[in-house]
Amino acid sequence: MTDKLIIFDTTLRDGEQSPGASMTRDEKIRIAKALEKMRVDVIEGGFPIASRGDFEAVKSIANVIKDSRVCGLARALDKDIERAAEALKDAVSPRIHTFIATSPVHMEKKLHKSPDEVLEQAVRAVKLARNYTDDVEFSPEDAGRSDLDFLCRVIEAVIDVGASTINVPDTVGYTLPEQFGHLIAQLRERVPNSDKAIFSVHCHNDLGLAVANSLSAVANGARQVECTINGLGERAGNAALEEVVMAVRTRQDIFACQTNLDTTQIMNCSRLVSSITGFAVQPNKAIVGANAFAHEAGIHQDGVLKDRETYEIMRPEDVGWKANRMVLGKHSGRNAFRQRLQDLAIELNSEEELNAAFARFKELADKKHEIYDEDLQAIVSETLITERERVKLVTLKVCSETGEKPHASVTLSIDNVENTVSASGSGPVDATFKAIEALLNSNTKLLVYSVNNITDGTDAQGEVGVRLEKDGKIVNGQGADTDIVIASAKAYISALNKILMPLKRKHPQAAREV
Ligand code: KIV
Ligand code: ZN
């Protein structure tokens, strides 16, 4: 029998630390439910002390998720651990994840603490966390640059006081696969009580090695991998869940372990996270990119038609590429709509929300013959967002003619008061954004503007992503419509709403208060 490889998803915590990827409580619940349906073992819901919103999100996830463990992050501080315990108190299977940095540079420059003080703080934190749950995970932050002897001392001490998972983070994505695998092997060999804990890894992608490092660790005995959907995460991101899981599954000749995941849910989770955060998936991204299973070259197509194994090492349906493409259309009723949302693990909070989403679905079905899962995800994201936004798009009229300057007239509802303004610009999108700005005067800087088709065909919805910056704060907005100028206006307004309703939160790895 092979070992189990525990999949710990941190999309809702580390993933959310990507600039502009912050999510609301309801969005986090939607993702958590999709992760549970995929049978992820542990869901890290957030960092409860960071803000009231983070606390509420972890608490709500703890209340609704039954089949996966729910984890809250806490620095090695009493108040963080108490707050995490409070957020998790109703969880069926709660886990507290506490951490403190162990590398010389972090201890000296960030914490201003000696190694002995750090060790003492780590032990105290794990002891305190154990008062609330038997399931305590400890991370020596920046383990990839920590001294091996010191790391062994800290790990031995925290296992002694009850940490059952030891997570080894390569916080800055510095290590190389062979070196990182060797580190895990050394820790398991040298820490006297290492058999009393599961070894886990948490790799960042600064050198593009997060997945390779994680797999090397698994080959050397790690039995938990921390990862995120689409590789979302701080800076260059974390190890991509879909890549780790499919590598282990595809190369069973190498790995002596298996995950419990329903891999056919991967595409659903990938699309959901991309539609909620506005982080588009690059077409050539492994497993979930639009081209991941597309065979362009004639010779490849010919080979695949004769025998798919000639060029395919995985089947697209195994990760949900084809299996989930049930089509709805304008004759589909409320029941079919509701059923498909349920299949996608999307639960709306009330009948009103379902009605609003269904009305949008009907509107779209009038313009577009076939509605796919990707369209449904976009419809639900938009319904949930726009219900509570301060600024709403009421109407948009754009005039674009050869030889003439494009012109846009926009009516916005701002705190329930409607205003109309017109502007011209170098293109229809530029004119639209200028008109919106004439009303809101936001003083934001447009960092990124991107358009992707959600499905194929010229009647497809365009999904527009907009990234804005104001006073160092970065937000993403997204909008979808069969008309890309309208999608652009929706995306711009959704980003502006986030600027107008800022979320205040602490960063878990910041030096302050540690
Ligand atoms: O990257 C890191 O070190 C982390 C820890 C909090 C586990 O995210
Ligand atoms: Zn991290």
mmCIF file of all heavy atoms in Angstrom, residues 10 13-14 17 44 73 97 99 137 139-143 167 169-172 202-204 226 234-235 238 508-509, ligand 1:
data_model
loop_
_atom_site.group_PDB
_atom_site.id
_atom_site.type_symbol
_atom_site.label_atom_id
_atom_site.label_comp_id
_atom_site.label_asym_id
_atom_site.label_seq_id
_atom_site.Cartn_x
_atom_site.Cartn_y
_atom_site.Cartn_z
ATOM 1 N N THR A 10 -3.649 26.535 0.196
ATOM 2 C CA THR A 10 -3.548 27.847 0.850
ATOM 3 C C THR A 10 -3.910 28.998 -0.100
ATOM 4 O O THR A 10 -3.492 30.139 0.071
ATOM 5 C CB THR A 10 -2.155 28.027 1.535
ATOM 6 O OG1 THR A 10 -2.139 29.278 2.219
ATOM 7 C CG2 THR A 10 -0.999 27.960 0.567
ATOM 8 N N ARG A 13 -5.323 31.884 1.730
ATOM 9 C CA ARG A 13 -4.436 32.615 2.653
ATOM 10 C C ARG A 13 -3.214 33.145 1.887
ATOM 11 O O ARG A 13 -3.133 34.311 1.570
ATOM 12 C CB ARG A 13 -4.040 31.699 3.823
ATOM 13 C CG ARG A 13 -3.499 32.448 5.028
ATOM 14 C CD ARG A 13 -2.034 32.811 4.912
ATOM 15 N NE ARG A 13 -1.164 31.651 4.854
ATOM 16 C CZ ARG A 13 0.133 31.732 4.569
ATOM 17 N NH1 ARG A 13 0.695 32.898 4.296
ATOM 18 N NH2 ARG A 13 0.873 30.644 4.503
ATOM 19 N N ASP A 14 -2.294 32.272 1.494
ATOM 20 C CA ASP A 14 -1.107 32.761 0.784
ATOM 21 C C ASP A 14 -1.510 33.281 -0.598
ATOM 22 O O ASP A 14 -1.001 34.301 -1.073
ATOM 23 C CB ASP A 14 -0.054 31.649 0.647
ATOM 24 C CG ASP A 14 1.359 32.182 0.751
ATOM 25 O OD1 ASP A 14 1.603 33.294 0.246
ATOM 26 O OD2 ASP A 14 2.227 31.514 1.332
ATOM 27 N N GLN A 17 -2.517 36.680 -0.646
ATOM 28 C CA GLN A 17 -1.457 37.672 -0.439
ATOM 29 C C GLN A 17 -0.885 38.216 -1.763
ATOM 30 O O GLN A 17 -0.070 39.123 -1.750
ATOM 31 C CB GLN A 17 -0.334 37.074 0.428
ATOM 32 C CG GLN A 17 -0.739 36.960 1.890
ATOM 33 C CD GLN A 17 0.262 36.205 2.758
ATOM 34 O OE1 GLN A 17 -0.123 35.477 3.657
ATOM 35 N NE2 GLN A 17 1.549 36.376 2.499
ATOM 36 N N GLU A 44 -6.560 26.133 4.151
ATOM 37 C CA GLU A 44 -6.148 27.250 5.014
ATOM 38 C C GLU A 44 -7.018 28.449 4.624
ATOM 39 O O GLU A 44 -6.872 29.022 3.544
ATOM 40 C CB GLU A 44 -4.661 27.560 4.825
ATOM 41 C CG GLU A 44 -4.152 28.577 5.847
ATOM 42 C CD GLU A 44 -2.624 28.617 5.938
ATOM 43 O OE1 GLU A 44 -1.954 28.782 4.909
ATOM 44 O OE2 GLU A 44 -2.111 28.478 7.061
ATOM 45 N N LEU A 73 -4.120 30.576 10.155
ATOM 46 C CA LEU A 73 -2.705 30.896 10.372
ATOM 47 C C LEU A 73 -2.560 31.840 11.573
ATOM 48 O O LEU A 73 -3.400 32.712 11.801
ATOM 49 C CB LEU A 73 -2.132 31.575 9.118
ATOM 50 C CG LEU A 73 -0.637 31.907 9.180
ATOM 51 C CD1 LEU A 73 0.216 30.647 9.126
ATOM 52 C CD2 LEU A 73 -0.226 32.833 8.027
ATOM 53 N N HIS A 97 -2.187 26.714 12.536
ATOM 54 C CA HIS A 97 -0.876 26.716 11.879
ATOM 55 C C HIS A 97 -0.102 27.917 12.414
ATOM 56 O O HIS A 97 -0.455 29.056 12.134
ATOM 57 C CB HIS A 97 -1.101 26.831 10.359
ATOM 58 C CG HIS A 97 0.160 26.963 9.561
ATOM 59 N ND1 HIS A 97 0.148 27.317 8.223
ATOM 60 C CD2 HIS A 97 1.471 26.800 9.882
ATOM 61 C CE1 HIS A 97 1.381 27.359 7.764
ATOM 62 N NE2 HIS A 97 2.215 27.066 8.745
ATOM 63 N N PHE A 99 3.682 29.943 13.148
ATOM 64 C CA PHE A 99 5.005 30.022 12.518
ATOM 65 C C PHE A 99 5.855 31.121 13.130
ATOM 66 O O PHE A 99 5.341 32.097 13.695
ATOM 67 C CB PHE A 99 4.869 30.265 11.008
ATOM 68 C CG PHE A 99 4.453 31.673 10.650
ATOM 69 C CD1 PHE A 99 5.396 32.631 10.282
ATOM 70 C CD2 PHE A 99 3.123 32.054 10.696
ATOM 71 C CE1 PHE A 99 5.014 33.935 9.961
ATOM 72 C CE2 PHE A 99 2.730 33.349 10.386
ATOM 73 C CZ PHE A 99 3.677 34.289 10.017
ATOM 74 N N GLU A 137 0.044 22.665 13.471
ATOM 75 C CA GLU A 137 1.125 22.662 12.475
ATOM 76 C C GLU A 137 2.090 23.778 12.826
ATOM 77 O O GLU A 137 1.671 24.880 13.170
ATOM 78 C CB GLU A 137 0.509 22.881 11.080
ATOM 79 C CG GLU A 137 1.548 23.149 10.004
ATOM 80 C CD GLU A 137 0.988 23.083 8.587
ATOM 81 O OE1 GLU A 137 -0.001 22.353 8.341
ATOM 82 O OE2 GLU A 137 1.553 23.776 7.725
ATOM 83 N N SER A 139 5.508 26.006 11.391
ATOM 84 C CA SER A 139 6.404 26.326 10.269
ATOM 85 C C SER A 139 7.575 27.172 10.722
ATOM 86 O O SER A 139 7.366 28.271 11.259
ATOM 87 C CB SER A 139 5.671 27.153 9.199
ATOM 88 O OG SER A 139 4.715 26.406 8.546
ATOM 89 N N PRO A 140 8.818 26.718 10.506
ATOM 90 C CA PRO A 140 9.965 27.600 10.688
ATOM 91 C C PRO A 140 10.114 28.430 9.411
ATOM 92 O O PRO A 140 10.631 27.932 8.401
ATOM 93 C CB PRO A 140 11.133 26.616 10.871
ATOM 94 C CG PRO A 140 10.663 25.343 10.237
ATOM 95 C CD PRO A 140 9.180 25.355 10.123
ATOM 96 N N GLU A 141 9.632 29.654 9.461
ATOM 97 C CA GLU A 141 9.613 30.474 8.248
ATOM 98 C C GLU A 141 11.028 30.663 7.702
ATOM 99 O O GLU A 141 11.989 30.782 8.466
ATOM 100 C CB GLU A 141 8.996 31.849 8.579
ATOM 101 C CG GLU A 141 8.736 32.689 7.330
ATOM 102 C CD GLU A 141 8.439 34.146 7.667
ATOM 103 O OE1 GLU A 141 8.317 34.499 8.855
ATOM 104 O OE2 GLU A 141 8.356 34.943 6.709
ATOM 105 N N ASP A 142 11.151 30.679 6.389
ATOM 106 C CA ASP A 142 12.439 30.820 5.704
ATOM 107 C C ASP A 142 13.381 29.656 6.024
ATOM 108 O O ASP A 142 14.605 29.836 6.089
ATOM 109 C CB ASP A 142 13.093 32.167 6.049
ATOM 110 C CG ASP A 142 14.082 32.630 4.965
ATOM 111 O OD1 ASP A 142 14.057 32.070 3.852
ATOM 112 O OD2 ASP A 142 14.893 33.533 5.247
ATOM 113 N N ALA A 143 12.773 28.468 6.190
ATOM 114 C CA ALA A 143 13.584 27.273 6.491
ATOM 115 C C ALA A 143 14.645 27.049 5.411
ATOM 116 O O ALA A 143 15.749 26.580 5.701
ATOM 117 C CB ALA A 143 12.683 26.054 6.602
ATOM 118 N N ASN A 167 5.909 21.958 8.863
ATOM 119 C CA ASN A 167 5.911 22.464 7.493
ATOM 120 C C ASN A 167 7.214 23.213 7.240
ATOM 121 O O ASN A 167 7.580 24.110 7.996
ATOM 122 C CB ASN A 167 4.701 23.389 7.321
ATOM 123 C CG ASN A 167 4.667 24.006 5.943
ATOM 124 O OD1 ASN A 167 4.812 23.307 4.947
ATOM 125 N ND2 ASN A 167 4.492 25.320 5.886
ATOM 126 N N PRO A 169 9.014 25.726 5.010
ATOM 127 C CA PRO A 169 8.771 26.654 3.910
ATOM 128 C C PRO A 169 10.057 27.124 3.228
ATOM 129 O O PRO A 169 11.055 27.406 3.898
ATOM 130 C CB PRO A 169 8.099 27.863 4.583
ATOM 131 C CG PRO A 169 7.982 27.547 6.033
ATOM 132 C CD PRO A 169 8.923 26.416 6.317
ATOM 133 N N ASP A 170 9.992 27.181 1.904
ATOM 134 C CA ASP A 170 11.039 27.887 1.162
ATOM 135 C C ASP A 170 10.404 29.252 0.850
ATOM 136 O O ASP A 170 9.927 29.501 -0.260
ATOM 137 C CB ASP A 170 11.398 27.124 -0.106
ATOM 138 C CG ASP A 170 12.524 27.818 -0.867
ATOM 139 O OD1 ASP A 170 13.229 28.650 -0.262
ATOM 140 O OD2 ASP A 170 12.689 27.543 -2.070
ATOM 141 N N THR A 171 10.409 30.089 1.862
ATOM 142 C CA THR A 171 9.628 31.327 1.857
ATOM 143 C C THR A 171 9.965 32.262 0.697
ATOM 144 O O THR A 171 9.104 32.942 0.156
ATOM 145 C CB THR A 171 9.872 32.050 3.205
ATOM 146 O OG1 THR A 171 9.488 31.148 4.233
ATOM 147 C CG2 THR A 171 9.093 33.335 3.328
ATOM 148 N N VAL A 172 11.235 32.308 0.328
ATOM 149 C CA VAL A 172 11.631 33.249 -0.728
ATOM 150 C C VAL A 172 11.978 32.531 -2.034
ATOM 151 O O VAL A 172 12.550 33.124 -2.941
ATOM 152 C CB VAL A 172 12.811 34.144 -0.261
ATOM 153 C CG1 VAL A 172 12.349 35.122 0.800
ATOM 154 C CG2 VAL A 172 13.965 33.299 0.267
ATOM 155 N N HIS A 202 6.283 23.919 1.706
ATOM 156 C CA HIS A 202 5.543 25.112 1.276
ATOM 157 C C HIS A 202 6.537 25.925 0.440
ATOM 158 O O HIS A 202 7.407 26.597 0.993
ATOM 159 C CB HIS A 202 5.104 25.858 2.538
ATOM 160 C CG HIS A 202 4.465 27.187 2.306
ATOM 161 N ND1 HIS A 202 3.138 27.422 2.604
ATOM 162 C CD2 HIS A 202 4.947 28.361 1.839
ATOM 163 C CE1 HIS A 202 2.846 28.687 2.327
ATOM 164 N NE2 HIS A 202 3.923 29.283 1.867
ATOM 165 N N CYS A 203 6.451 25.789 -0.874
ATOM 166 C CA CYS A 203 7.501 26.377 -1.717
ATOM 167 C C CYS A 203 6.980 27.558 -2.519
ATOM 168 O O CYS A 203 5.905 27.489 -3.122
ATOM 169 C CB CYS A 203 8.040 25.328 -2.678
ATOM 170 S SG CYS A 203 8.812 23.968 -1.795
ATOM 171 N N HIS A 204 7.781 28.613 -2.547
ATOM 172 C CA HIS A 204 7.443 29.776 -3.377
ATOM 173 C C HIS A 204 8.184 29.686 -4.699
ATOM 174 O O HIS A 204 9.188 28.991 -4.838
ATOM 175 C CB HIS A 204 7.730 31.072 -2.608
ATOM 176 C CG HIS A 204 6.596 31.399 -1.673
ATOM 177 N ND1 HIS A 204 5.513 32.140 -2.075
ATOM 178 C CD2 HIS A 204 6.344 31.021 -0.394
ATOM 179 C CE1 HIS A 204 4.651 32.234 -1.076
ATOM 180 N NE2 HIS A 204 5.133 31.558 -0.031
ATOM 181 N N GLU A 226 1.915 22.020 0.546
ATOM 182 C CA GLU A 226 1.083 23.220 0.595
ATOM 183 C C GLU A 226 1.142 23.867 -0.784
ATOM 184 O O GLU A 226 2.232 24.083 -1.332
ATOM 185 C CB GLU A 226 1.588 24.167 1.675
ATOM 186 C CG GLU A 226 1.578 23.475 3.031
ATOM 187 C CD GLU A 226 1.568 24.418 4.229
ATOM 188 O OE1 GLU A 226 1.710 25.647 4.045
ATOM 189 O OE2 GLU A 226 1.420 23.914 5.349
ATOM 190 N N GLU A 234 1.891 34.976 -2.908
ATOM 191 C CA GLU A 234 2.837 36.082 -2.691
ATOM 192 C C GLU A 234 3.881 36.126 -3.828
ATOM 193 O O GLU A 234 4.391 35.086 -4.232
ATOM 194 C CB GLU A 234 3.509 35.797 -1.339
ATOM 195 C CG GLU A 234 4.414 36.863 -0.826
ATOM 196 C CD GLU A 234 3.690 37.858 0.082
ATOM 197 O OE1 GLU A 234 2.902 37.458 0.927
ATOM 198 O OE2 GLU A 234 3.962 39.051 -0.088
ATOM 199 N N ARG A 235 4.188 37.302 -4.327
ATOM 200 C CA ARG A 235 5.179 37.520 -5.413
ATOM 201 C C ARG A 235 4.920 36.602 -6.628
ATOM 202 O O ARG A 235 3.884 36.683 -7.234
ATOM 203 C CB ARG A 235 6.605 37.360 -4.888
ATOM 204 C CG ARG A 235 6.951 38.259 -3.695
ATOM 205 C CD ARG A 235 8.403 38.078 -3.299
ATOM 206 N NE ARG A 235 8.733 36.691 -3.122
ATOM 207 C CZ ARG A 235 8.465 35.982 -2.015
ATOM 208 N NH1 ARG A 235 7.919 36.560 -0.977
ATOM 209 N NH2 ARG A 235 8.773 34.703 -1.965
ATOM 210 N N ASN A 238 2.898 30.412 -5.267
ATOM 211 C CA ASN A 238 3.215 29.169 -4.555
ATOM 212 C C ASN A 238 3.220 28.018 -5.566
ATOM 213 O O ASN A 238 2.861 28.212 -6.729
ATOM 214 C CB ASN A 238 2.129 28.885 -3.506
ATOM 215 C CG ASN A 238 2.170 29.842 -2.342
ATOM 216 O OD1 ASN A 238 1.988 31.038 -2.494
ATOM 217 N ND2 ASN A 238 2.403 29.329 -1.161
ATOM 218 N N PRO A 508 0.788 38.728 7.387
ATOM 219 C CA PRO A 508 1.286 37.788 8.383
ATOM 220 C C PRO A 508 2.793 37.835 8.576
ATOM 221 O O PRO A 508 3.286 37.582 9.676
ATOM 222 C CB PRO A 508 0.852 36.420 7.853
ATOM 223 C CG PRO A 508 0.393 36.626 6.469
ATOM 224 C CD PRO A 508 0.033 38.068 6.332
ATOM 225 N N GLN A 509 3.544 38.106 7.489
ATOM 226 C CA GLN A 509 4.994 38.031 7.638
ATOM 227 C C GLN A 509 5.658 39.374 7.900
ATOM 228 O O GLN A 509 6.876 39.489 7.878
ATOM 229 C CB GLN A 509 5.598 37.335 6.417
ATOM 230 C CG GLN A 509 5.388 35.843 6.505
ATOM 231 C CD GLN A 509 5.010 35.236 5.168
ATOM 232 O OE1 GLN A 509 3.968 35.548 4.591
ATOM 233 N NE2 GLN A 509 5.850 34.383 4.666
HETATM 234 O O1 KIV B 1 6.038 31.438 2.862
HETATM 235 C C1 KIV B 1 5.956 31.220 4.074
HETATM 236 O O2 KIV B 1 6.940 31.032 4.783
HETATM 237 C C2 KIV B 1 4.622 31.219 4.657
HETATM 238 C C3 KIV B 1 4.523 30.751 6.074
HETATM 239 C C4 KIV B 1 3.590 31.568 6.859
HETATM 240 C C5 KIV B 1 4.195 29.294 6.099
HETATM 241 O O3 KIV B 1 3.657 31.526 4.004
#
